[in-house]
């Protein structure tokens, strides 16, 4: 997801570590240049969550 959503493509090093990319926050429109400062949430539709109980 970090590769697909980057506004500037990051470099990918060993162990898939990313550096030198740039991302735009959808929530506050801030640019983020450090991938370590990003969190990815996994969204599950409500119906699927209830069905998997």
């Amino acid at each position: 997801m970090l590769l697909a959503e980057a506004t500037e493509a990051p470099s990918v090093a060993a162990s898939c570590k990313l550096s030198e990319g740039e991302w735009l926050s959808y929530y506050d429109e801030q640019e983020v240049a450090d991938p370590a400062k990003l969190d990815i949430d996994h969204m599950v539709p409500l119906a699927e969550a209830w069905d998997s109980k």
Side-chain angles (χ1 to χ4, degrees), residues 21-33:
E22 195 167 285
W23 296 265
L24 180 65
S25 169
Y26 291 114
Y27 301 105
D28 57 9
E29 297 185 8
Q30 297 291 315
E31 290 184 350
V32 179

Side-chain angles (χ1 to χ4, degrees), residues 1-49:
M1 191 57 153
L2 287 175
L3 293 174
E5 295 291 324
T7 56
E8 182 179 313
S11 300
V12 182
S15 300
C16 295
K17 185 172 180 168
L18 302 180
S19 62
E20 300 177 7
E22 195 167 285
W23 296 265
L24 180 65
S25 169
Y26 291 114
Y27 301 105
D28 57 9
E29 297 185 8
Q30 297 291 315
E31 290 184 350
V32 179
D34 182 2
K37 293 185 178 185
L38 298 171
D39 289 320
I40 297 176
D41 292 328
H42 299 278
M43 303 296 282
V44 176
L46 186 57
E48 184 178 330

